[in-house]
Amino acid sequence: MAAKFILQVLTANRLGDGEAVWWSADRRWSETLAGSEIAHDADAAAALEAIGKAAHAANLVVDVNLIDVELADGVIVPLRLREKIRAAGPTIRPDLGKQARPAAARAA
Amino acid sequence: MYRYDEFDRDFVNARVAEFSDQARRRLRGEISEDQFRPLRLMNGVYLQLHAYMLRIAVPYGTLSSRQMRMLAYIARTYDKGYGHFTTRQNLQFNWPALSDIPAVLADLATVEMHAIQTSGNCIRNVTADHFAGAAADEVADPRPYAEILRQWSSVHPEFSYLPRKFKIAVTGAEHDRAAIQVHDIGLHLKKNAAGELGFAVYVGGGQGRTPMIAKKIRDFLPERDLLAYTTAILRVYNLHGRRDNKYKARIKILVHETGTEELTAWVEKEFAELRDTELALPAEDVKKIEAYFAPPALADRPEGWGALAAAQRADEAFSAWVRRNVTPHRHPDYACVTISLKGIGEVPGDATDAQMDAVADIAEELAFDEIRVSHEQNLVLPHVARADLKAVYDRLVAIRLETANAGLVTDIIACPGLDYCALANARSISVAQDISIRLGDQKRQEEIGELKIKISGCINACGHHHVGHIGILGVEKKGDELYQVTLGGSGDEVTSIGDIVGRGFTAAEIGGAIETVVDTYLGLRAAKDETFLQAYRRVGLAPFKEALYGSEAKAA
Ligand code: SF4
């Protein structure tokens, strides 16, 4: 049996301000991890990778990466701490970064 | 203080214009990231986890009030209201937009500051003793030589594409506060028997993946030969340094693989050809630069002794601060003040815009307009009259920068780590905060005495963990943070690299493990004045292993 595919999402930093962004299910770069397009298999991951390459070539984003995630009660959670911190902000400054933004603004 | 001449000013302004154009073209998509990346790095612009980061050079750690105010202004206007002072005596802003950076650099240029050579494989910001020009134990101010090296190395065509980055540090005192033996070149300014100034030259020190203590290759290099000799070292490195493997490219590897004797012979051979060329330093030029660093006119203020003693008797907190954060000045009526950026449980090295402004005011009114950044991530007021210490202290209390812990166990160096840094494996700041809160009681800290804890979030060792009396290195193991502890490191005139104590600790365990190490030391020290480092050098790893791992240690 093939090994279980680890879910992946596409992330990058926006060119102009460096803000961490994720490729969302509604096909745009979003400032939040929630709502990201999830690759459930290798083909979908390859498709995401192609989107990342194109966005990099179009100078929209930099440092494009596919990252491993899991779903916990429907919420996307990155496997690595590094990506958890990128998605929230510095753990030592809860007043800064995405974690400090009102949920409404975050969902927008 | 050094002031830009016309050449410096034109050069920095031209660089701002050049980078503004490059950034504009990048934002318009006219140049790719691959093309832009080396250009932005040359101007101190990194990409971190949450945003870009701008690293600003503070040459030899010296700032005027005006410059500090500009840093505060930038923090407020373009960033999130704070900056981070680093172990390279630089300042980093964690959140600037790329589109704002040209404006930031233009503002910096108005106060003679920039971000040039804070990154890339070039000669980086030259660092110096943070008490330079003030310390009681100093032979001469090392900063004029740091400035000469800065001018010589700025966009030096031959040395802008070295195999790897290159760091130089200078100290002018026997007691080394600039960690010169863990730099690519370390210079110890001293006098020979005839009373002439010169340098002991150390080469090939460094931290990172392969920590090495520098080798002394010259006991006394005459002042006039500084640039000729440095050039000779750089030439040897540029020619023979390995470019095939990033991890073996620093000069420390070349020194190690070649052997000190042979490498010294190569350097001396180059030097013989260079010594009487235009690289010889004319005495008048040195004098001219020295004049910029002339100490302020310090009037006698003998009334300070009595006033200080009375104030100390009246206020125990002030008294503790004087004990810890005040260092002898070469003028007996004055002192050097360390402003700790290590409040208990705070982020090491961070200062808010309001704090920077207030420190600038204090410096202007009570400390001859001079501020230093130390590689221990604190600020220093190098010249304060003893008579004014209480006034300075009271004003520091008002901005919550009065922590009396310089050199104590909570005066922790920590790199940005995984909270910000794209290269990190684990967090550093959170570990520093945990330890600081555990050991922050003033009485207990003073009881423990001098103990330097240094934390890096990855093997690059920006947090100098190899030379921490207690060093902590964050690694990633199976997706989790794990912390490796080293003991017995030191970055002073008796430099040593710490020994790994054993298996690592999780984020939840590390604070407790450090407390165990500290308690073990308290239990075994021969006398109250035997410091942690002295005790460690006497007893070695065994008792600490036993305390940390118990039966596990015996079985191993
Ligand atoms: S030591 Fe590593 S984690 Fe820390 S600042 Fe340097 S590169 Fe980043």
Side-chain angles (χ1 to χ4, degrees):
Chain A
M1 202 180 97
K4 192 168 170 283
F5 184 81
I6 298 174
L7 304 183
Q8 291 191 309
V9 301
L10 181 68
T11 186
N13 290 74
R14 199 157 57 200
L15 172 66
D17 58 5
E19 174 92 27
V21 288
W22 294 262
W23 183 252
S24 70
D26 53 3
R27 311 197 64 75
R28 63 190 176 88
W29 291 102
S30 160
E31 291 185 13
T32 61
L33 171 63
S36 291
E37 168 95 15
I38 302 173
H40 290 269
D41 56 38
D43 287 347
L48 278 183
E49 202 172 355
I51 290 169
K53 272 210 178 107
H56 189 268
N59 299 306
L60 300 172
V61 294
V62 291
D63 204 9
V64 184
N65 285 297
L66 279 176
I67 58 161
D68 297 343
V69 298
E70 61 188 3
L71 281 169
D73 298 330
V75 177
I76 303 174
V77 181
L79 296 190
R80 288 183 70 199
L81 178 61
R82 176 188 206 271
E83 293 302 325
K84 288 186 180 124
I85 292 174
R86 276 184 80 243
T91 63
I92 44 131
R93 288 293 302 263
D95 59 321
L96 296 178
K98 298 172 194 295
Q99 59 201 348
R101 297 175 197 167
R106 250 190 275 170
Chain B
M1 184 154 176
Y2 182 72
R3 302 301 309 259
Y4 278 9
D5 60 18
E6 218 162 285
F7 175 84
D8 292 319
R9 203 178 332 262
D10 289 350
F11 168 65
V12 170
N13 287 337
R15 181 58 92 80
V16 172
E18 183 185 77
F19 184 70
S20 302
D21 182 52
Q22 290 161 345
R24 195 176 321 116
R25 280 155 56 210
R26 175 69 187 121
L27 289 166
R28 282 199 202 127
E30 292 167 18
I31 48 177
S32 71
E33 184 63 10
D34 286 348
Q35 291 166 315
F36 183 62
R37 195 171 169 276
L39 303 175
R40 68 168 160 78
L41 287 174
M42 271 181 218
N43 291 283
V45 183
Y46 286 72
L47 182 65
Q48 298 286 52
L49 295 183
H50 315 291
Y52 290 98
M53 179 268 276
L54 178 64
R55 180 181 293 157
I56 295 165
V58 181
Y60 31 87
T62 298
L63 285 171
S64 67
S65 298
R66 184 166 155 258
Q67 291 173 320
M68 185 64 109
R69 277 195 199 101
M70 179 55 82
L71 296 176
Y73 169 81
I74 290 168
R76 200 160 43 234
T77 311
Y78 304 101
D79 210 86
K80 294 194 187 289
Y82 69 105
H84 177 74
F85 290 99
T86 78
T87 54
R88 297 275 312 143
Q89 300 181 309
N90 291 322
L91 178 88
Q92 294 181 180
F93 286 120
N94 289 312
W95 305 90
L98 177 58
S99 43
D100 282 337
I101 290 176
V104 174
L105 295 178
D107 286 344
L108 280 174
T110 64
V111 295
E112 309 187 344
M113 294 184 80
H114 59 72
I116 300 165
Q117 286 180 215
T118 59
S119 173
N121 294 337
C122 56
I123 300 170
R124 301 286 187 90
N125 186 27
V126 178
T127 52
D129 183 354
H130 44 266
F131 294 143
D137 61 354
E138 180 175 274
V139 169
D141 190 340
R143 291 173 305 157
Y145 305 96
E147 173 56 27
I148 288 167
L149 288 165
R150 185 196 70 79
Q151 295 189 7
W152 159 82
S153 68
S154 291
V155 291
H156 192 302
E158 191 180 335
F159 304 135
S160 289
Y161 293 92
L162 295 167
R164 209 60 184 93
K165 58 188 167 186
F166 202 91
K167 300 175 182 176
I168 305 177
V170 203
T171 178
E174 213 47 59
H175 176 42
D176 176 11
R177 287 171 288 256
I180 65 166
Q181 292 181 41
V182 284
H183 280 77
D184 296 286
I185 295 180
L187 297 167
H188 171 203
L189 179 63
K190 60 186 202 177
K191 279 190 175 147
N192 65 7
E196 296 153 341
L197 278 176
F199 305 87
V201 182
Y202 293 82
V203 170
Q207 304 196 51
R209 186 174 302 264
T210 320
M212 300 251 182
I213 299 171
K215 308 287 184 295
K216 197 204 268 188
I217 63 168
R218 260 281 185 149
D219 191 53
F220 189 83
L221 177 78
E223 178 192 65
R224 71 181 285 277
D225 294 329
L226 174 66
L227 292 186
Y229 204 78
T230 312
T231 303
I233 296 170
L234 263 304
R235 280 211 175 148
V236 165
Y237 172 52
N238 214 5
L239 190 64
H240 299 283
R242 288 181 60 168
R243 292 172 190 266
D244 59 323
N245 180 343
K246 187 176 162 194
Y247 300 121
K248 301 200 165 178
R250 296 287 291 267
I251 194 174
K252 62 189 173 189
I253 305 292
L254 180 67
V255 175
H256 183 71
E257 289 184 349
T258 311
T260 312
E261 218 167 290
E262 179 152 5
L263 184 113
T264 308
W266 292 348
V267 171
E268 292 287 338
K269 186 162 172 278
E270 278 291 339
F271 173 59
E273 282 169 32
L274 292 169
R275 92 179 290 175
D276 293 314
T277 64
E278 75 283 355
L279 284 170
L281 269 183
E284 319 82 77
D285 285 12
V286 178
K287 282 244 147 51
K288 229 187 338 194
I289 299 277
E290 265 172 0
Y292 286 115
F293 295 92
L298 302 173
D300 290 350
R301 300 278 303 274
E303 79 280 12
W305 288 88
L308 183 57
Q312 280 187 268
R313 271 194 303 277
D315 182 345
E316 169 47 31
F318 172 61
S319 185
W321 181 80
V322 172
R323 276 198 299 278
R324 292 311 319 175
N325 295 31
V326 170
T327 314
H329 193 281
R330 61 188 158 63
H331 190 306
D333 298 344
Y334 288 76
C336 309
V337 164
T338 297
I339 301 175
S340 170
L341 298 181
K342 316 288 176 66
I344 304 306
E346 306 274 350
V347 179
D350 276 11
T352 66
D353 61 322
Q355 288 173 328
M356 290 189 237
D357 270 335
V359 168
D361 291 344
I362 297 170
E364 197 168 66
E365 290 160 42
L366 295 164
F368 302 88
D369 200 18
E370 250 200 62
I371 304 155
R372 305 285 172 77
V373 182
S374 80
H375 82 272
E376 295 181 322
Q377 299 180 289
N378 290 316
L379 298 176
V380 167
L381 301 174
H383 315 287
V384 179
R386 287 179 176 272
D388 294 330
L389 283 172
K390 185 66 166 70
V392 167
Y393 172 78
D394 289 341
R395 293 178 63 167
L396 291 174
V397 171
I399 51 169
R400 302 189 49 237
L401 287 183
E402 82 285 15
T403 313
N405 63 350
L408 293 180
V409 68
T410 59
D411 185 3
I412 300 169
I413 289 184
C415 78
L418 193 52
D419 281 301
Y420 295 100
C421 178
L423 301 172
N425 289 322
R427 285 171 294 169
S428 324
I429 298 168
S430 55
V431 175
Q433 290 175 316
D434 179 16
I435 297 169
S436 172
I437 290 166
R438 282 168 188 270
L439 300 172
D441 176 72
Q442 187 67 28
K443 260 219 185 87
R444 185 165 178 210
Q445 288 198 64
E446 290 197 49
E447 173 68 25
I448 297 164
E450 187 183 297
L451 209 178
K452 299 185 190 234
I453 298 182
K454 307 189 191 227
I455 311 173
S456 305
C458 82
I459 194 64
N460 287 332
C462 305
H464 295 180
H465 65 277
H466 293 299
V467 293
H469 300 166
I470 299 176
I472 302 174
L473 166 65
V475 297
E476 183 177 354
K477 200 168 178 192
K478 297 193 190 121
D480 281 325
E481 297 163 300
L482 195 75
Y483 295 93
Q484 211 169 66
V485 174
T486 51
L487 301 179
S490 177
D492 58 7
E493 60 281 11
V494 191
T495 293
S496 52
I497 304 294
D499 307 310
I500 296 174
V501 70
R503 69 164 169 83
F505 300 91
T506 64
E509 293 166 343
I510 183 66
I514 300 307
E515 261 195 289
T516 301
V517 169
V518 169
D519 288 339
T520 305
Y521 151 67
L522 290 176
L524 62 70
R525 68 182 173 190
K528 198 172 173 314
D529 63 356
E530 187 183 45
T531 63
F532 177 87
L533 188 61
Q534 289 164 342
Y536 178 79
R537 284 176 175 166
R538 176 171 58 82
V539 302
L541 272 178
F544 297 98
K545 260 190 193 291
E546 170 73 29
L548 285 168
Y549 307 111
S551 51
E552 199 185 311
K554 275 185 216 125

